[in-house]
Amino acid sequence: MTAFPKPRTRKSLKAKKDRAEAAHIKAVRAVVMARDILCRACYCEVADEMHEHPSRAHTRGLPLAQRFSDRICCGLCAPCHRDATAGVVNAGRQQAE
């Protein structure tokens, strides 16, 4: 018997953190999809994808609640989400007709 217990492995700590992040994202996605029935960019199609602005790459390192919240996420249809990710449309704002 050793005097000190073994510390938790990095793998187990990262897996726990990833599970917590996935649960938080799932909860935010449920709120966003309930709020945004129609696409926030075109208002024509059903919103089936969640878009984060700023993107996940730009918010890496921030606390989870700042990275994913219903304030910075919106529901978009697949074509508008593709365009918003590419920077073609401004997500969450109605386009000029």
Side-chain angles (χ1 to χ4, degrees):
M1 180 182 239
T2 61
F4 299 104
K6 286 187 173 183
R8 295 182 183 223
T9 63
R10 182 183 184 287
K11 183 177 179 180
S12 67
L13 294 175
K14 184 171 180 344
K16 183 178 179 180
K17 180 183 170 190
D18 289 345
R19 284 191 303 272
E21 183 173 309
H24 181 75
I25 293 170
K26 186 176 182 179
V28 169
R29 184 181 315 269
V31 170
V32 169
M33 290 302 150
R35 179 191 68 200
D36 298 338
I37 305 293
L38 293 177
C39 174
R40 276 268 187 105
C42 68
Y43 295 102
C44 295
E45 296 186 37
V46 174
D48 55 355
E49 297 183 10
M50 185 175 77
H51 180 69
E52 304 91 13
H53 185 75
S55 70
R56 292 181 186 194
H58 291 117
T59 59
R60 194 152 282 147
L62 293 176
L64 189 59
Q66 288 181 354
R67 292 184 68 200
F68 300 101
S69 72
D70 59 340
R71 291 182 45 219
I72 63 168
C73 296
C74 64
L76 298 177
C77 63
C80 289
H81 188 222
R82 182 182 57 244
D83 292 344
T85 304
V88 178
V89 289
N90 201 354
R93 305 189 198 290
Q94 192 169 11
Q95 298 173 347
E97 295 182 43

